[in-house]
Amino acid sequence: MGAPPDALARVESLRQQLALHNYRYYVLDDPLISDAEWDQMLRELIDLEHHYPELISADSPTQRVGATPSDEFASARHRVPMLSLDNAFSDEEVRAFDRRVRERLELADTAPAVRYSAEPKLDGLAISVIYEKGQLVRAATRGDGTVGEDVTANIRTIRAVPLRLNGHAPALIEARGEVFMPRAGFEQLNRQAAERGEKVFANPRNAAAGSLRQLDPRVTAKRPLEIFFYALGSVEGMTFPVSHSETLSALKELGLRVSPETAQVEGAEGCLQYFASLQRRRATLDYEIDGVVYKVDSLVSQSRLGFLSRAPRWAIAHKFPAEEATTLLREVEFQVGRTGALTPVARLTPVVVGGVTVSNATLHNMDEIERKDVRIGDTVVVRRAGDVIPEVARVVISRRPSDAQAVRLPSHCPVCGAAVRREPDAAVARCTGEFSCKAQRKERLRHFAARRALDIEGLGDKLIEQVVDAGLVATPADIFTLTRGQLAALERMGEKSADNVLSAIERSKETTLARFLFALGIREVGEATAAALAQHFGSLEALLGASFEQVQQVPDVGPVVAAQLTDFFARDENRRVISQLQQAGVRWPRIDSRSAQMDQPLTGLTFVLTGSLESMSRDQAEDRLRALGARASGSVSKKTSYVIAGADAGSKLAKAEALGVPVLDEAALIEILDQRRLPN
Ligand code: D41
């Protein structure tokens, strides 16, 4: 019997194409076909193999998931030990590492800087995968570095791990890397677990570990695991590269995915710059990293340096500062926001979190306090992520004292004494004092003067506090009545600073309708809604005259926003402030709605800004591009028209280059803004 030759040929061709598209997708991050087309090919292959089982081979993409669960993992001895990494927790420790490297390599002080390969330190599990003649034959966890667990069946289910290598694969190659779970997959997995009432994972690392340690590979197959490779173990039938960066290129060429964030840097200072730039971009990555790894790039130098006990002398992990810390919750106070919302704030015994001392953390609202069962006197875990406000993440129940006090929502505003109202079913409680509440007044003024609103430079928290307390300013319109004498009389304010504030106030009068609407601080009206309203109505008068129904004609404006708008504009107090502002000279260019939408020079174009600009902030640049009709976006895709790359541009620039999106520099941006059109 046997399968007909054309079936064999088709099976081979499908496998080759599927492998190629997998490589384009995972390794090059540049897919050529859609997921649906990929699935279609896989289905055809499954059908053929079903008809002709003799054509099934172990490296067929249909054979990723073995059907037989095992009782336990076999142990697997590594051919070459898997080393561990030493840690550095400060810039000084990185400099000391570089000094040790230089000393051991006997470099003179005048010798050039050592070249390092720098890469993100993924927060996952180290594994080793062996390919013989290009076929995946075994995969093992790191274990104690000498003996790990054989997880071949589970690693085979990870689509980013090829079952067969590209091109002329060596007789044997052992590749090492880190298995991890991207944030989005982790969140989805936990959502599903929560819906089924199952236990959720504490973090992506635990989820990745738990998924890899499944005895049934069918379970692992459903988990969104990914991998980046970063080292070679033993190799046969291939000449070793001369540097770590070449090793990474060789791995990539064989079809093994490596981190696109890898870079070569010079000396300790280069390492530290890389660290800072990755730390800034940390939150934009799709996966969690806990630091950076620096590796002496030259393999000759690596072997001269050797290793000490378990860790190489030529590599070090520079860890980001911990972002969670435990401390005592001493008191809970309530802050009154712009719209009167009362936010419970935890007063803490100061603690260092992620390199910053934290003594206050938000508790969000009463529902959250209840959900987390937070009481005064508790020991709590404080979390800080990037530049967001620190929050109380959870309570350490085992350390709760017997006299811990429940948190009570005050019945009256702590600032103005007006009644506090909690709307039924709403998490938020509000002070009913409105304009008479000083806290609300200050917050509204702060919002009005903020950078993205009227942008009054110098009118910051301190000064607002002073002018409100001195009774000089109650509403935004009062800002424009301030005199030099009044300002100069304030504490810590000379005539010169007073003049600076006055000229900033003067400059702020020239604004846009969108900014003005946003600055008013109408509930539910954020920047995007304000811009949509301005674009739709073209003038303030048109918006003021619009009915509840007419307002809802604006894209993204539903009944909730519309109700807030009509409510706001129906109040005499608000109308009065608006007309006072206009009388004071606050003005904006008229938007001719039709021309605004159709005929602007950059209409239809999408820009992404990355890196830092010299002549203006990114926000300013985005505003100016938007004023010419462009869209400004935060992420690069095939739909991006141009990427503007400033200094220190990182992954967005790389992505633009990979996708073939044109990249412009700051000079070109300035030309576009000045000429009000694209360069020729
Ligand atoms: O991303 C990582 N977690 C990572 C781990 C990395 N990027 N590079 C690594 N390099 C090594 C050496 C230098 C020993 C090849 C590592 C690890 N080791 C490692 N992971 C777990 C233990 C050691």
Side-chain angles (χ1 to χ4, degrees), residues 369-391:
I369 290 179
E370 224 162 277
R371 196 175 64 77
K372 294 174 182 159
D373 187 21
V374 179
R375 301 189 198 167
I376 297 160
D378 268 339
T379 294
V380 294
V381 175
V382 180
R383 178 166 55 208
R384 209 188 127 249
D387 25 328
V388 304
I389 305 168
E391 63 166 358

Side-chain angles (χ1 to χ4, degrees), residues 285-495:
L285 298 177
D286 300 336
Y287 43 83
E288 289 197 350
I289 60 176
D290 57 352
V292 166
V293 186
Y294 312 122
K295 300 174 184 177
V296 171
D297 199 35
S298 154
L299 296 201
V300 172
S301 301
Q302 281 188 7
S303 60
R304 282 179 58 197
L305 289 159
F307 48 88
L308 188 68
S309 68
R310 289 281 146 126
R313 286 207 187 87
W314 45 265
I316 199 157
H318 188 181
K319 296 289 210 57
F320 294 133
E323 301 220 311
E324 277 192 358
T326 306
T327 189
L328 187 70
L329 192 166
R330 297 175 5 169
E331 191 53 77
V332 173
E333 284 172 13
F334 286 81
Q335 255 168 22
V336 185
R338 172 165 60 84
T339 58
L342 260 59
T343 304
V345 178
R347 305 289 180 216
L348 309 162
T349 300
V351 63
V352 178
V353 191
V356 173
T357 302
V358 171
S359 38
N360 303 308
T362 181
L363 285 158
H364 300 292
N365 55 54
M366 291 307 289
D367 284 0
E368 283 289 299
I369 290 179
E370 224 162 277
R371 196 175 64 77
K372 294 174 182 159
D373 187 21
V374 179
R375 301 189 198 167
I376 297 160
D378 268 339
T379 294
V380 294
V381 175
V382 180
R383 178 166 55 208
R384 209 188 127 249
D387 25 328
V388 304
I389 305 168
E391 63 166 358
V392 172
R394 59 188 176 276
V395 171
V396 183
I397 292 284
S398 61
R399 288 170 65 180
R400 170 169 291 166
S402 56
D403 62 348
Q405 293 281 307
V407 180
R408 278 218 182 69
L409 179 71
S411 58
H412 291 86
C413 174
V415 177
C416 74
V420 166
R421 196 171 53 217
R422 191 169 174 186
E423 280 138 48
D425 298 333
V428 188
R430 285 180 209 280
C431 156
T432 52
E434 307 235 348
F435 293 108
S436 55
C437 177
K438 262 193 185 172
Q440 291 191 49
R441 238 187 251 161
K442 286 176 186 168
E443 288 305 316
R444 292 186 58 154
L445 290 165
R446 205 198 300 264
H447 176 81
F448 184 82
R451 199 164 45 79
R452 316 206 64 140
L454 270 246
D455 191 16
I456 309 180
E457 223 182 303
L459 189 55
D461 296 359
K462 269 260 165 53
L463 188 53
I464 287 174
E465 194 88 9
Q466 286 177 297
V467 293
V468 173
D469 289 344
L472 299 174
V473 173
T475 76
D478 299 337
I479 292 172
F480 297 91
T481 65
L482 284 169
T483 65
R484 188 167 186 239
Q486 287 173 332
L487 284 170
L490 296 169
E491 220 174 298
R492 277 193 302 276
M493 174 74 78
E495 297 206 331

Side-chain angles (χ1 to χ4, degrees), residues 533-655:
L533 289 166
Q535 193 68 244
H536 183 88
F537 288 103
S539 74
L540 183 63
E541 294 66 39
L543 172 59
L544 289 175
S547 68
F548 182 69
E549 284 72 29
Q550 283 167 332
V551 177
Q552 289 183 66
Q553 301 296 306
V554 180
D556 294 333
V557 173
V560 174
V561 181
Q564 293 293 352
L565 278 165
T566 34
D567 228 44
F568 184 91
F569 291 129
R571 293 181 188 218
D572 289 343
E573 163 87 30
N574 293 334
R575 292 245 177 193
R576 191 166 57 241
V577 169
I578 288 171
S579 76
Q580 283 170 351
L581 284 167
Q582 287 182 291
Q583 269 159 34
V586 176
R587 61 191 174 271
W588 47 85
R590 259 201 96 76
I591 304 172
D592 173 352
S593 285
R594 238 185 51 239
S595 80
Q597 278 163 25
M598 311 297 294
D599 296 324
Q600 298 219 81
L602 303 182
T603 298
L605 297 178
T606 302
F607 286 76
V608 174
L609 284 102
T610 179
S612 50
L613 302 174
E614 256 171 33
S615 58
M616 63 191 110
S617 72
R618 245 165 29 207
D619 289 336
Q620 287 170 326
E622 286 179 1
D623 272 351
R624 293 183 61 185
L625 286 167
R626 279 195 206 100
L628 296 176
R631 239 172 59 82
S633 163
S635 59
V636 180
S637 75
K638 285 194 173 132
K639 292 191 186 128
T640 308
S641 317
Y642 293 94
V643 166
I644 310 277
D648 269 339
S651 64
K652 287 180 194 171
L653 175 56
K655 185 146 185 209

Side-chain angles (χ1 to χ4, degrees), residues 97-350:
F97 162 73
D98 179 57
R99 274 198 299 277
R100 286 197 302 275
V101 165
R102 295 182 66 90
E103 274 164 27
R104 288 222 157 235
L105 293 175
E106 297 178 329
L107 295 176
D109 288 350
T110 51
V114 174
R115 168 166 295 189
Y116 294 96
S117 179
E119 60 199 46
K121 183 170 185 300
L122 296 148
D123 205 3
L125 285 92
I127 59 137
S128 176
V129 187
I130 297 181
Y131 290 88
E132 282 176 10
K133 298 201 200 86
Q135 309 281 325
L136 190 163
V137 294
R138 201 190 73 182
T141 60
R142 178 169 175 276
D144 63 5
T146 309
V147 179
E149 287 179 317
D150 186 327
V151 286
T152 312
N154 289 343
I155 292 295
R156 286 178 63 96
T157 68
I158 303 174
R159 265 185 58 188
V161 176
L163 298 176
R164 174 160 66 173
L165 295 178
N166 283 347
H168 285 291
L172 182 142
I173 184 168
E174 187 177 5
R176 277 144 186 202
E178 196 89 356
V179 171
F180 63 95
M181 190 176 287
R183 269 189 251 269
F186 163 73
E187 273 151 25
Q188 193 186 358
L189 183 66
N190 265 356
R191 259 199 311 278
Q192 289 165 351
E195 274 164 21
R196 287 197 291 262
E198 292 166 14
K199 156 175 163 299
V200 297
F201 289 105
N203 54 51
R205 203 202 105 82
N206 288 1
S211 302
L212 210 55
R213 296 203 78 268
Q214 291 291 330
L215 289 167
D216 186 349
R218 285 169 298 191
V219 177
T220 311
K222 294 199 191 98
R223 302 287 171 82
L225 295 176
E226 295 199 10
I227 192 164
F228 282 128
F229 288 94
Y230 52 68
L232 279 176
S234 76
V235 167
E236 289 169 17
M238 172 181 132
T239 45
F240 239 84
V242 304
S243 65
H244 181 70
S245 39
E246 275 187 23
T247 303
L248 295 177
S249 311
L251 287 170
K252 190 169 173 184
E253 219 145 280
L254 287 167
L256 299 166
R257 193 168 181 238
V258 302
S259 168
E261 308 291 339
T262 307
Q264 283 168 263
V265 299
E266 308 284 333
E269 297 314 308
C271 289
L272 296 177
Q273 268 174 27
Y274 178 88
F275 182 83
S277 104
L278 205 60
Q279 196 170 22
R280 275 197 301 275
R281 289 188 293 117
R282 183 179 183 186
T284 68
L285 298 177
D286 300 336
Y287 43 83
E288 289 197 350
I289 60 176
D290 57 352
V292 166
V293 186
Y294 312 122
K295 300 174 184 177
V296 171
D297 199 35
S298 154
L299 296 201
V300 172
S301 301
Q302 281 188 7
S303 60
R304 282 179 58 197
L305 289 159
F307 48 88
L308 188 68
S309 68
R310 289 281 146 126
R313 286 207 187 87
W314 45 265
I316 199 157
H318 188 181
K319 296 289 210 57
F320 294 133
E323 301 220 311
E324 277 192 358
T326 306
T327 189
L328 187 70
L329 192 166
R330 297 175 5 169
E331 191 53 77
V332 173
E333 284 172 13
F334 286 81
Q335 255 168 22
V336 185
R338 172 165 60 84
T339 58
L342 260 59
T343 304
V345 178
R347 305 289 180 216
L348 309 162
T349 300

Side-chain angles (χ1 to χ4, degrees), residues 89-101:
F89 294 98
S90 67
D91 292 4
E92 224 12 81
E93 286 175 27
V94 173
R95 293 195 182 98
F97 162 73
D98 179 57
R99 274 198 299 277
R100 286 197 302 275
V101 165

